[in-house]
Amino acid sequence: MVKPKPWVLILFALPTVLFYWYFFISPLGSTIYNSFFEWNGLSDKTFIFLENYIALAQDKIFYRALLNTFYWVFLVLLIQIPVGFLLAYFLYTKVAGFKFLRTVYFFPVVTSTVAIALVFSFIYEPTFGILNTILHQVGLGNLATAWLSNPATAMTAVSVPFIWSYIGLTMVIIYSGLQSMPEEMLEAAELDGVNFFQRIYYIILPSIKSVMVVSLVLGISYAFKQFDYVLLLTNGGPIHRTEVTGTYMYNQGFQNMNYGFGNAIAVTMTVIVLIISFSINKAMTSKD
């Protein structure tokens, strides 16, 4: 077999490299560069070095937004990944109509964010919303509230559509990992009398560890970059109770015209996600 010449490989790889550089590396470099300036997007930039990062370290609203974002990460770990896994395993057992169910479970992933937010805004509506109506009908009217404007419930309420819309994606990723497992392994375990929980913990999870890493990293990444549900349902209110790092970056950069500070938030978020992703990958892929 004749090996292609190096310049041929470079020629074929060059378009992809240029595309990646222009659309991914260049914007990241521009974000880091602009984070060292005070700039409103119109006037000349003023170099202030680390002052944006110092101001960010002293910003209480940013810490509130970061805490809320980690709350979403917690929900990803507590609900999105486990439920996605259970749905994937349910489909893997080839239940009746599993192809139809697979489409139904994945449907929220491809549904418009605006449409989902609109539906949930009607569900949470305090006067005629579905949720409060059901609570009143079952005798739990004392639990009815203005879910999106009540500081005690707003963050959880706005988190529900985010988690619900991405469970299908987690399910598909894990389902693909389950399909790559040899069926003989599970059949042998069943013959040996291994129960459901032992099968999950000792056989399935170790076999799809790399897939679980992908699901975790993607889920956490989506939690950090998500802002549209908050923007559409609460716009960060009430009193920043639902503010997340994505909405805070958007408000600082585009609403307050503080582009340098907004870029500093973006760089900080990127560093945090990289650290978390590296830690998860290191922990999950390390030898037992």
Side-chain angles (χ1 to χ4, degrees):
M1 183 178 179
V2 180
K3 293 184 178 180
K5 296 181 180 180
W7 67 267
V8 176
L9 297 176
I10 294 173
L11 184 64
F12 275 97
L14 188 60
T16 303
V17 172
L18 292 177
F19 179 88
Y20 186 80
W21 175 268
Y22 185 79
F23 287 101
F24 294 95
I25 303 299
S26 178
L28 179 60
S30 177
T31 301
I32 296 173
Y33 174 77
N34 288 326
S35 69
F36 298 120
F37 290 86
E38 182 181 356
W39 184 41
N40 61 8
L42 299 174
S43 61
D44 295 334
K45 299 178 181 179
T46 303
F47 182 72
I48 57 175
F49 194 39
L50 296 176
E51 288 187 22
N52 282 325
Y53 293 97
I54 295 173
L56 186 62
Q58 300 171 347
D59 192 338
K60 294 181 180 179
I61 299 177
F62 173 72
Y63 286 112
R64 162 62 68 177
L66 190 61
L67 182 64
N68 289 338
T69 303
F70 273 109
Y71 177 69
W72 281 21
V73 171
F74 173 74
L75 292 179
V76 167
L77 300 176
L78 183 67
I79 300 176
Q80 183 175 311
I81 301 298
V83 173
F85 174 83
L86 291 175
L87 291 177
Y89 184 78
F90 179 68
L91 295 177
Y92 177 72
T93 58
K94 298 294 189 297
V95 296
F98 78 96
K99 292 184 179 180
F100 171 74
L101 292 174
R102 183 176 57 190
T103 303
V104 171
Y105 295 154
F106 189 74
F107 183 73
V109 180
V110 296
T111 304
S112 167
T113 302
V114 177
I116 294 175
L118 183 62
V119 169
F120 275 89
S121 67
F122 284 120
I123 293 174
Y124 291 138
E125 209 285 327
T127 304
F128 55 83
I130 298 174
L131 183 54
N132 281 349
T133 301
I134 293 175
L135 289 175
H136 283 291
Q137 289 180 348
V138 298
L140 297 175
N142 59 311
L143 297 179
T145 184
W147 298 95
L148 294 175
S149 57
N150 185 343
T153 60
M155 190 60 204
T156 301
V158 82
S159 301
V160 172
F162 161 71
I163 296 297
W164 176 76
S165 63
Y166 284 103
I167 283 178
L169 179 62
T170 303
M171 178 206 69
V172 168
I173 295 172
I174 297 176
Y175 180 68
S176 65
L178 292 175
Q179 285 186 310
S180 65
M181 290 178 52
E183 294 184 3
E184 296 80 6
M185 185 187 303
L186 294 178
E187 291 175 356
E190 188 174 352
L191 291 175
D192 290 338
V194 177
N195 61 41
F196 173 77
F197 296 102
Q198 291 174 331
R199 195 182 312 157
I200 296 294
Y201 187 77
Y202 291 107
I203 299 175
I204 296 178
L205 288 179
S207 300
I208 61 170
K209 184 183 288 186
S210 59
V211 175
M212 296 303 295
V213 171
V214 173
S215 299
L216 283 170
V217 171
L218 280 179
I220 292 172
S221 299
Y222 282 126
F224 266 89
K225 76 175 187 178
Q226 191 62 232
F227 82 101
D228 40 7
Y229 287 116
V230 175
L231 191 69
L232 292 168
L233 290 173
T234 63
N235 197 26
I239 54 175
H240 301 289
R241 286 300 181 93
T242 61
E243 193 84 70
V244 292
T245 50
T247 56
Y248 193 52
M249 177 188 65
Y250 171 81
N251 289 330
Q252 289 294 322
F254 296 99
Q255 300 294 328
N256 299 339
M257 303 293 287
N258 193 352
Y259 287 103
F261 191 68
N263 281 303
I265 298 173
V267 173
T268 304
M269 289 168 55
T270 303
V271 172
I272 292 174
V273 171
L274 288 175
I275 292 173
I276 294 175
S277 301
F278 177 79
S279 300
I280 291 174
N281 187 66
K282 190 72 175 177
M284 295 286 287
T285 57
S286 61
K287 295 183 179 179
D288 297 331

